[in-house]
């Protein structure tokens, strides 16, 4: 973490970004501590989840460090609930603690209304992921519910998950 | 509602049941008051949602009235959250008020552990659907969260939705 962080640019994902996005998200998904997806998923499945299924995907580039994060935006429910969006955010391990998660969160809250979304919901925020919870709370997300033991953490076993929500 | 209700049997769905299941669920899905699925969905999409995607589907038969209800059971999240199940229940309009919804709910709570599920979650219980909420509460489901305006009701507009949960 001795690299000086440079200016952060958040821009739409293009397919040429995928190898770098995969390099950033693969270790996080493999760790299985924050997302429910199978830790054994392959690259094609990850592309489906991160790029194909979502409405849009963005990447964050640091002018010195390169691609340091990404997030996707998609409807959280079918038609009659599709005005509420859902996002998934990942920040590269070596770039953490620099506010990039918060920057991605704020960016998604600005972008979501442009796609017609009126609220944002996270369905399964792992209760042990305290730094993420604080980041989302600092950015206007409220814990609206707690699901006892709803996430199987590789280290901690069955842990609670939070539902977070905000109107946009 | 003058028909005498007979003994209720709940058994696994078989494909020959589909025309009757569709007849029961179509008006409910078209009404758009309780499920988020598009009210314009076609029969094939409904079959996907009700039969293909779920882990299992059951039907309730009244000895006099025939097929009066159905529910599906499926994981609520991918791998690391797939020990929590989700169900969707529909009771035929003419058979309501006879406790069939409650019977389906209790049946699903007995079946779910047989498929390895340890908890049950409903993601979007429309707040205006009070009789359903009471039925689920009487059967051990707890409201763990409220999502402001998360459902677009055809009559009432944006209404709240509840998240309900219980361990099994």
């Amino acid at each position: 973490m001795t690299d000086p962080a440079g200016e952060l640019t958040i821009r739409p994902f293009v397919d040429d970004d995928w190898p770098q996005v995969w390099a950033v998200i693969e270790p996080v998904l493999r760790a299985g501590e924050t997302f429910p997806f199978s830790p054994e998923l392959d690259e094609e499945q990850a592309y489906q989840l991160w790029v194909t299924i979502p409405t849009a995907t963005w990447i964050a580039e640091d002018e010195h460090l390169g691609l340091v994060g990404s997030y996707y935006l998609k409807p959280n429910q079918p038609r009659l609930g599709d005005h509420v969006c859902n996002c998934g955010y990942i920040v590269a391990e070596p770039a953490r603690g620099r506010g990039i998660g918060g920057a991605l969160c704020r960016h998604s809250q600005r972008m979501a209304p442009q796609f017609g979304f009126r609220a944002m919901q996270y369905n399964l925020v792992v209760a042990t992921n305290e730094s993420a919870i604080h980041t989302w709370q600092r950015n206007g997300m409220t814990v609206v519910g707690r699901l006892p033991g709803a996430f199987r953490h590789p280290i901690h076993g069955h842990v609670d998950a939070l539902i977070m929500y905000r109107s946009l």
Side-chain angles (χ1 to χ4, degrees), chain A:
Chain A
M1 243 71 39
T2 53
D3 304 318
E7 198 177 330
L8 194 73
T9 305
I10 301 176
R11 63 158 176 82
F13 168 89
V14 294
D15 255 341
D16 283 350
D17 296 322
W18 175 250
Q20 292 172 85
V21 169
W22 177 231
V24 164
I25 72 175
E26 183 183 9
V28 174
L29 299 177
R30 296 257 179 265
E33 298 182 6
T34 50
F35 283 82
F37 309 127
S38 167
E40 294 86 35
L41 89 178
D42 63 28
E43 187 173 349
E44 193 177 334
Q45 292 168 321
Y47 185 89
Q48 286 281 321
L49 291 168
W50 208 262
V51 178
T52 308
I53 294 171
T55 307
T57 304
W58 280 270
I59 62 107
E61 275 178 326
D62 178 282
E63 65 176 323
H64 302 310
L65 307 177
L67 199 150
V68 289
S70 179
Y71 77 91
Y72 65 75
L73 172 72
K74 63 181 175 64
N76 195 50
Q77 290 284 352
R79 182 78 66 88
L80 300 179
D82 70 1
H83 56 293
V84 180
C85 69
N86 171 252
C87 292
Y89 312 86
I90 289 182
V91 175
E93 288 268 0
R96 299 222 179 131
R98 285 169 163 163
I100 297 170
L104 291 176
C105 182
R106 288 187 294 280
H107 188 272
S108 69
Q109 293 178 4
R110 287 194 305 274
M111 290 301 110
Q114 300 184 20
F115 288 85
F117 294 114
R118 295 173 53 141
M120 182 172 287
Q121 181 174 340
Y122 308 153
N123 301 300
L124 201 73
V125 182
V126 183
T128 51
N129 192 6
E130 290 179 14
S131 66
I133 294 165
H134 293 149
T135 297
W136 310 150
Q137 286 178 319
R138 275 195 304 271
N139 288 286
M141 299 294 296
T142 301
V143 176
V144 295
R146 188 176 189 99
L147 306 167
F151 187 85
R152 295 199 307 280
H153 192 286
I155 297 162
H156 305 295
H158 287 78
V159 297
D160 295 353
L162 307 180
I163 297 157
M164 302 185 77
Y165 192 87
R166 75 166 292 177
S167 297
L168 296 173

